[in-house]
Amino acid sequence: MDWREEVKRLEKALEELRSRYPAIIPSGELEKIRTEFLGKKGPIKALFDFVKKAPAEERRELGQFANKIKRAFEEWISEKRNLLQEAEEEIPDLSLPAFLPDLGRPHIITQTIEEIVSIFEELGFALATGPEIEQEFYNFSALNIDITHPSRDAFDTFYLDLPADKEKGRYLLRSHTSPMQVRIMEAYEPPFAVVVPGRVYRPDAVDSSHSFMFHQIEGFAVDRGIKFYHLKAVLWEFARRFFDRSVELRFRPHYFPFTEPSAEVDVSCMFCKGKGCSVCKGTGWIEVLGCGMIHPKVLANIPSGSEGLTGIAFGLGVERMCMLRYGIPDIRLFYTGDVRFLRQF
Ligand code: PHE
């Protein structure tokens, strides 16, 4: 063996390793390189074997070269090992199976509101929202709900412990979204068609279909020549888009102080297709909303006068719509925050 040549060859090999791996080396590969050069069958071992057999006068010098090249390899390898160890402490193991973070999503009630509102937007309605803390004037008087109406009773409404407003009465959590009919009339010149989603509050005992807080969507339109058939057409188109193209509507005469005539609207039961089941209590119909022609006393809130104007209005319960749409049996499921329920939507 020409040991000088061999030392040079090894120096060059180390140089090559340095330039091929300027940074980190996977531990498996590093181990392979170590065995290749420093292992029992490697060239460095061979070089030392050669040293042992070399003539005494050469042995010293040769030994020094062999030690030097061996140390250079060892140092390089331990440097790379240190790098690897540091990196393992810092960087997560990218070879581990990935898990996706749960990004969350809008609550099913929010999704339902967005869907209903967008149907009405397509039918020409604009979106508005109003205060949850209302005044008696907007919640009752301006809507022709007189002072003797049971819903005005302190036990039937959440009144706030605030000094009453001189003109507009006591403050309360709104019991419906209809007050926004009046607020829009005060703020905008007709014609308009508006939908108002939002929370409403009633001191109802909580059970599978009642909650002290729930969501409504109010819809109303005021213009010249607005007729009951506009109301029917809008509600029918909405029901067919929200539930099913085959859904039927039934308008039952009803009474609301703020509409005249008034109706309650039933949809044909989507669970039994009108045949009669436990959801529709055997009737084939399910009540979904209240509506009517806006009462002249309510239209009288338009500052420029209501001469020649008519209007339609409806109010629907979002939870109820959502329960019917997805077959949800208990309203309390919306509010407990149980992700096993919520992540289905
Ligand atoms: N505000 C009524 C309620 O909460 C619903 C309704 C709205 C009825 C608009 C007629 C017109 O029961």
Side-chain angles (χ1 to χ4, degrees), residues 49-310:
D49 290 344
F50 187 73
V51 175
K52 279 183 213 144
K53 283 179 251 148
E57 64 274 19
E58 256 184 276
R59 204 178 295 157
R60 217 179 117 83
E61 194 194 1
L62 174 51
Q64 274 170 2
F65 274 103
N67 269 320
K68 204 171 142 223
I69 192 71
K70 185 181 175 208
R71 232 175 292 126
F73 269 97
E74 282 170 350
E75 267 164 29
W76 183 78
I77 281 166
S78 88
E79 196 182 293
K80 291 294 177 198
R81 273 194 184 142
N82 287 343
L83 268 184
L84 202 61
Q85 209 176 354
E86 274 168 37
E88 273 167 1
E89 280 158 19
E90 277 168 25
I91 307 174
D93 182 352
L94 298 180
S95 67
L96 283 174
F99 65 91
L100 294 175
D102 197 340
L103 292 178
R105 71 206 78 179
H107 190 280
I108 180 58
I109 291 299
T110 307
Q111 291 182 41
T112 306
I113 288 172
E114 280 169 3
E115 189 181 339
I116 295 174
V117 165
S118 79
I119 293 173
F120 284 112
E121 280 178 329
E122 281 172 18
L123 298 176
F125 287 75
L127 171 65
T129 54
E132 286 173 38
I133 294 177
E134 260 302 357
Q135 293 170 280
E136 278 182 290
F137 172 74
Y138 293 106
N139 201 75
F140 300 122
S141 343
L143 290 167
N144 193 36
I145 303 176
D146 78 65
I147 198 78
T148 62
H149 196 279
S151 68
R152 293 188 74 145
D153 194 276
F155 295 105
D156 284 317
T157 306
F158 291 112
Y159 284 93
L160 279 95
D161 219 353
L162 289 173
D165 183 86
K166 271 205 194 66
E167 269 174 53
K168 300 194 164 158
R170 288 177 287 172
Y171 289 90
L172 59 131
L173 297 180
R174 65 180 174 193
S175 59
H176 53 172
T177 42
S178 301
M180 277 302 283
Q181 291 185 31
V182 181
R183 289 185 177 274
I184 295 287
M185 285 175 195
E186 285 181 344
Y188 298 91
E189 262 308 293
F192 48 68
V194 182
V195 275
V196 182
R199 291 190 175 129
V200 300
Y201 301 84
R202 293 178 194 179
D204 286 340
V206 176
D207 64 23
S208 63
S209 58
H210 294 85
S211 166
F212 55 86
M213 183 283 297
F214 61 97
H215 299 75
Q216 284 190 328
I217 295 181
E218 189 85 6
F220 51 94
V222 176
D223 199 354
R224 292 179 182 280
I226 294 241
K227 298 211 159 62
F228 201 90
Y229 62 66
H230 292 115
L231 180 62
K232 288 184 98 171
V234 160
L235 292 177
W236 194 44
E237 187 55 28
F238 160 70
R240 298 195 336 158
R241 290 196 197 185
F242 185 74
F243 292 114
D244 191 286
R245 295 309 296 177
S246 66
V247 98
E248 296 288 343
L249 288 192
R250 181 170 79 169
F251 287 72
R252 271 184 295 106
H254 196 72
Y255 173 76
F256 296 107
F258 34 93
T259 46
E260 181 60 32
S262 305
E264 273 190 334
V265 177
D266 302 334
V267 293
S268 54
C269 181
M270 54 292 286
F271 299 104
C272 62
K273 301 275 172 228
K275 282 197 215 63
C277 66
S278 64
V279 179
C280 61
K281 299 191 183 78
T283 64
W285 297 95
I286 300 169
E287 186 216 313
V288 289
L289 59 88
C291 66
M293 300 300 297
I294 299 177
H295 197 288
K297 285 193 181 158
V298 178
L299 289 175
N301 290 297
I302 299 169
S304 58
S306 58
E307 188 61 33
L309 293 171
T310 49

